[in-house]
Amino acid sequence: MNKGLNNRIAANCWAKRIFVFLLAMIALGLLAEPGYAEQSKLEVYGFFDMEAEVSNKDAAGKIWTFDQHHLNIITIYPLDNKFRVFAEVAWEHGPFYSPSEMIGNIYLARAYLEYKYSDAFQLRMGTFLTPFGIYNERHDATPTFISTFVPQSVYGEHELSFMGKGRLFAKHGTGVQVLGTLSANKWEGKYQLYLSNGRGPSPTERDNNANKGIGGRLIISLPIETLRLGASYYTDRNGDANNARQNALGFDSEFDYEDIHLETEVLLASLERLDISGAPSGDFRKISGYYLLGAYTFFDKLTPFARYEWIGDNIDKDGHTHNATTFGINYSITPSVKLKNEIQFRSEGETVNSYQFYVASIAVAF
Amino acid sequence: MKAATINILAIILLVLTLSTAAQAQIAVVVNKNNPMADISMKMLERAYLGKTTVFSDGQNIVLAEYAPLMESFFESVLGMTLNKAKVHWLKLILSGGTAIPPTKFDDVEVNKKFVMHNRGAISFMDMADADDTVKILTIDGKSPSAEDYPLK
């Protein structure tokens, strides 16, 4: 059998396993005793979105297109007062798998057992979203985003000469994470520390090198309660043929006052190519990026916003810069249903390959 | 003439009803077995924002909310509109936060029964509806009868 067919069969198996897992979770919830004495055993949440987009980047892009982008189901099953199982399954781009074709993606975005000793100490074991920046743990939950898309300067895939395109930190991690919230007077701090397989060909199953994905995130809420400051760190070694040691450091800040929302993030990352023995080969790249976003909400419904972002890929050497300016306006039909419109003006590379990108979307949380 | 009088009376009644609702004194209540007798505004805010999920005795907090008073409660305690509070909870749940969102009740009797049967429950209701099936908390040491009770 060829590799493609094997992949399709494996994908089909995973789709079936996920379906059976969801059925089992729902059955457990139905078996739970109803009543006042305890909360419903199974909680189900999720989100859905659909986009209509067009750009003038190339001829094909000028065609209007619809994209049923996300349907994610989150199930939370409390085992008792201390333990719970959290799982999220994602169906992206309306997946359809058959022996002859594969459209879209189905994957397990999160699955972990969580133990809560107290608010100050919790432990997660399994696959989690890497705590990095404002958005990574919100995953693809577009109903909670201001823009339809997360800022590409921090969360996007960057052009890297020796690793192809990739994020500067792993979106998911499989391993253990400790987290908690500490507060004193009006100060509050949330910490998250984790040890994971990092990246690799099959990171939820095994690590292919001795170096683990290690990182953490710290969020401080100041006595000025509307201001939050965060810092995130991630380091990993990708053990593929293109060995590379990655380091990513991010800083973020959010400010809310009445109906004004401001946020900014900065990302500083480096990649160092390693030879087969793990020694540095001398190829070293630096990537940085940032964005600034401002939004104002009128009548609790209408939110115009603007965002500017900049990315510098190895600009000290042979790299180039990108920037994007986004203007948009969102309308909250209800707190859970948002209608979004935005236009992005993008500029890529030294030759300033500029184009515009328009997207309208509806995003629903449930 | 008669119709005009009825209309005026109806308007007066409506205004009286609305002003009574606006002035409803909110009681914060917990299960009778909860050892807590007082709660700070800060702790109340942190609980309803999902930042504090356990009482000081280690019992998990089970949040409930009484629909007719949600707007004024969230405005007074969280400094947020109802919509903003809902968006806050959506972000919390979808990012994996450990807090369980409040269970909403439209009927005050069902709200009381929920508190009565859940050891870790906390809710709010009109002071006039709070009876001996639930325990009324003081806030920052101030009882609901105090002049400077914060949820008047």
Side-chain angles (χ1 to χ4, degrees):
Chain A
M1 280 195 285
N2 64 35
K3 197 179 172 187
L5 190 56
N6 274 332
N7 284 342
R8 282 194 289 275
I9 291 168
N12 257 326
C13 284
W14 267 110
K16 281 175 189 166
R17 282 178 205 170
I18 288 167
F19 182 68
V20 169
F21 171 77
L22 277 176
L23 275 183
M25 293 292 279
I26 289 165
L28 282 169
L30 292 175
L31 289 173
E33 280 183 36
Y36 299 116
E38 55 186 326
Q39 293 243 313
S40 168
K41 278 286 184 187
L42 181 75
E43 298 160 52
V44 181
Y45 304 98
F47 54 90
F48 162 91
D49 61 36
M50 182 177 162
E51 294 150 13
E53 54 198 40
V54 65
S55 88
N56 60 3
K57 186 176 183 182
D58 50 52
K62 285 175 189 166
I63 301 166
W64 278 93
T65 182
F66 293 109
D67 182 4
Q68 193 276 289
H69 200 156
H70 301 106
L71 172 64
N72 287 40
I73 303 289
I74 292 169
T75 54
I76 303 170
Y77 190 83
L79 301 171
D80 59 23
N81 284 344
K82 296 287 181 191
F83 288 93
R84 69 174 190 165
V85 176
F86 187 108
E88 178 180 356
V89 180
W91 288 263
E92 201 170 20
H93 302 299
F96 174 77
Y97 289 7
S98 78
S100 59
E101 61 178 333
M102 275 176 67
I103 300 166
N105 307 305
I106 301 175
Y107 61 95
L108 195 60
R110 283 181 273 192
Y112 55 76
L113 174 67
E114 185 176 82
Y115 168 72
K116 183 172 77 175
Y117 176 75
S118 67
D119 284 330
F121 182 82
Q122 289 138 47
L123 177 68
R124 287 176 181 171
M125 293 156 281
T127 300
F128 45 81
L129 290 162
T130 304
F132 198 101
I134 293 170
Y135 288 101
N136 201 55
E137 282 197 296
R138 271 192 241 161
H139 190 30
D140 296 320
T142 52
T144 68
F145 300 171
I146 289 178
S147 168
T148 296
F149 302 110
V150 289
Q152 296 302 294
S153 49
V154 175
Y155 302 91
E157 296 190 329
H158 294 244
E159 292 284 358
L160 311 167
S161 65
F162 52 88
M163 283 186 66
K165 257 187 158 185
R167 277 179 175 241
L168 299 174
F169 53 89
K171 187 170 183 177
H172 307 265
T174 297
V176 292
Q177 181 185 155
V178 291
L179 67 156
T181 305
L182 303 164
S183 58
N185 297 323
K186 289 186 172 179
W187 289 80
E188 182 183 292
K190 182 181 177 186
Y191 71 90
Q192 289 170 283
L193 298 165
Y194 55 89
L195 180 71
S196 73
N197 280 345
R199 297 199 229 207
S202 185
T204 52
E205 186 182 352
R206 66 183 191 87
D207 200 348
N208 59 352
N209 61 62
N211 296 67
K212 298 293 167 216
I214 299 170
R217 174 158 170 76
L218 181 67
I219 308 168
I220 303 286
S221 296
L222 302 180
I224 310 161
E225 291 172 29
T226 51
L227 180 64
R228 292 172 298 283
L229 302 174
S232 314
Y233 178 69
Y234 176 80
T235 184
D236 181 21
R237 181 183 150 190
N238 188 332
D240 279 349
N242 291 320
N243 282 335
R245 188 185 304 283
Q246 303 167 288
N247 288 294
L249 179 64
F251 298 99
D252 56 88
S253 173
E254 283 185 284
F255 176 74
D256 286 287
Y257 179 73
E258 301 284 333
D259 294 312
I260 299 168
H261 176 80
L262 302 172
E263 66 180 57
T264 182
E265 289 192 69
V266 178
L267 177 71
L268 306 163
S270 66
L271 291 126
E272 186 173 32
R273 192 167 191 169
L274 307 172
D275 63 23
I276 201 74
S277 68
S281 69
D283 195 350
F284 187 81
R285 297 176 69 83
K286 284 196 284 189
I287 298 100
S288 54
Y290 69 87
Y291 75 86
L292 302 157
L293 182 145
Y296 188 89
T297 301
F298 295 93
F299 318 116
D300 239 4
K301 292 277 184 192
L302 207 57
T303 307
F305 68 92
R307 180 175 72 195
Y308 174 79
E309 53 186 317
W310 179 91
I311 304 160
D313 280 349
N314 210 31
I315 50 174
D316 292 348
K317 295 182 182 171
D318 55 347
H320 49 260
T321 63
H322 314 248
N323 65 68
T325 306
T326 306
F327 296 103
I329 187 158
N330 298 341
Y331 180 71
S332 289
I333 300 167
T334 73
S336 309
V337 182
K338 272 187 185 170
L339 200 56
K340 304 182 187 183
N341 274 282
E342 66 189 68
I343 184 160
Q344 294 190 7
F345 299 89
R346 295 184 182 177
S347 168
E348 292 183 351
E350 296 300 315
T351 53
V352 192
N353 175 23
S354 299
Y355 64 97
Q356 288 82 48
F357 180 83
Y358 169 76
V359 61
S361 67
I362 186 150
V364 183
F366 50 90
Chain B
M1 186 66 183
K2 203 173 178 180
T5 311
I6 290 168
N7 282 342
I8 290 164
L9 279 172
I11 289 166
I12 291 168
L13 274 173
L14 183 67
V15 169
L16 281 172
T17 311
L18 287 175
S19 59
T20 308
Q23 286 170 6
Q25 192 168 338
I26 300 174
V28 175
V29 299
V30 292
N31 182 280
K32 289 197 88 170
N33 295 319
N34 192 322
M36 182 182 253
D38 180 70
I39 190 166
S40 66
M41 273 297 265
K42 191 70 196 166
M43 166 83 174
L44 197 56
E45 179 193 347
R46 289 175 53 78
Y48 274 89
L49 285 176
K51 291 180 174 180
T52 295
T53 63
V54 287
F55 285 117
S56 51
D57 66 343
Q59 179 73 37
N60 274 357
I61 295 175
V62 182
L63 298 169
E65 56 194 14
Y66 179 46
L69 295 177
M70 275 164 66
E71 204 158 335
S72 50
F73 181 82
F74 288 138
E75 196 66 56
S76 308
V77 176
L78 310 182
M80 282 183 184
T81 62
L82 207 50
N83 277 3
K84 281 188 179 147
K86 282 184 180 174
V87 170
H88 168 84
W89 274 99
L90 277 178
K91 285 181 187 172
L92 197 67
I93 295 161
L94 297 179
S95 60
T98 53
I100 298 168
T103 305
K104 183 173 148 187
F105 296 102
D106 294 307
D107 184 330
V108 73
E109 292 306 319
V110 185
N111 187 9
K112 274 191 277 187
K113 279 182 187 166
F114 182 84
V115 176
M116 204 167 82
H117 289 96
N118 275 284
R119 172 76 170 69
I122 183 166
S123 188
F124 54 87
M125 59 190 66
D126 193 326
M127 187 61 204
D129 292 321
D131 55 26
D132 61 359
T133 59
V134 293
K135 183 198 265 188
I136 301 168
L137 296 181
T138 57
I139 299 176
D140 289 325
K142 290 156 193 158
S143 74
S145 57
E147 277 295 307
D148 53 352
Y149 181 69
L151 297 181
K152 273 197 167 165

